[in-house]
Amino acid sequence: MTSLLTFLIAGVLLVAVDGHLLRRSGTAYLRELGDNAGPLNQLVTVVFHLATLGLVALIAILPMDLGGEPKTVVGRIGVLLLVLAVAHALTIWTFGRIRARHESELLTAEVARRS
């Protein structure tokens, strides 16, 4: 039971810290979008938090015995860190897609205006 609680606390803290970093990065990265930046950033980071917290819960209940509670907790945290890395990369990719779409729309509008 203590290993489960230890993992859950560590997992929630890791997700919260990574989510905070993503939110700050997203704010800076999407600044060009003007009034749309805040809501889009919030939407993407909420999806990140919900998905990764769900994965924390699933990893917590996976059967894993690595030869004792400390090793099992470390193993679970290792799996979580790998999952967080993928989730972080997907979130950054999403920010990039949003920004690229916005830049494309601006370019299209500029070309149409000059025509």
Side-chain angles (χ1 to χ4, degrees):
M1 183 65 166
T2 58
S3 63
L4 176 65
L5 288 175
T6 302
F7 172 74
L8 288 174
I9 290 169
V12 169
L13 286 173
L14 286 168
V15 168
V17 168
D18 195 24
H20 178 72
L21 293 172
L22 283 168
R23 184 154 173 86
R24 284 184 46 206
S25 305
T27 299
Y29 202 68
L30 300 176
R31 187 170 290 136
E32 298 173 0
L33 274 67
D35 292 342
N36 292 333
L40 282 172
N41 187 25
Q42 186 172 1
L43 177 68
V44 171
T45 54
V46 165
V47 169
F48 168 84
H49 281 97
L50 291 175
T52 53
L53 287 172
L55 289 168
V56 167
L58 290 174
I59 293 168
I61 63 167
L62 285 177
M64 186 183 295
D65 184 8
L66 300 175
E69 282 192 18
K71 289 182 180 180
T72 301
V73 170
V74 170
R76 288 183 196 282
I77 289 174
V79 171
L80 176 61
L81 288 172
L82 293 171
V83 168
L84 275 176
V86 171
H88 188 97
L90 285 172
T91 304
I92 294 297
W93 179 80
T94 302
F95 285 144
R97 295 279 299 164
I98 292 169
R99 185 174 175 174
R101 181 179 293 160
H102 175 70
E103 289 171 349
S104 175
E105 289 171 358
L106 288 178
L107 184 59
T108 301
E110 181 66 24
V111 167
R113 189 179 61 80
R114 290 187 180 191
S115 299

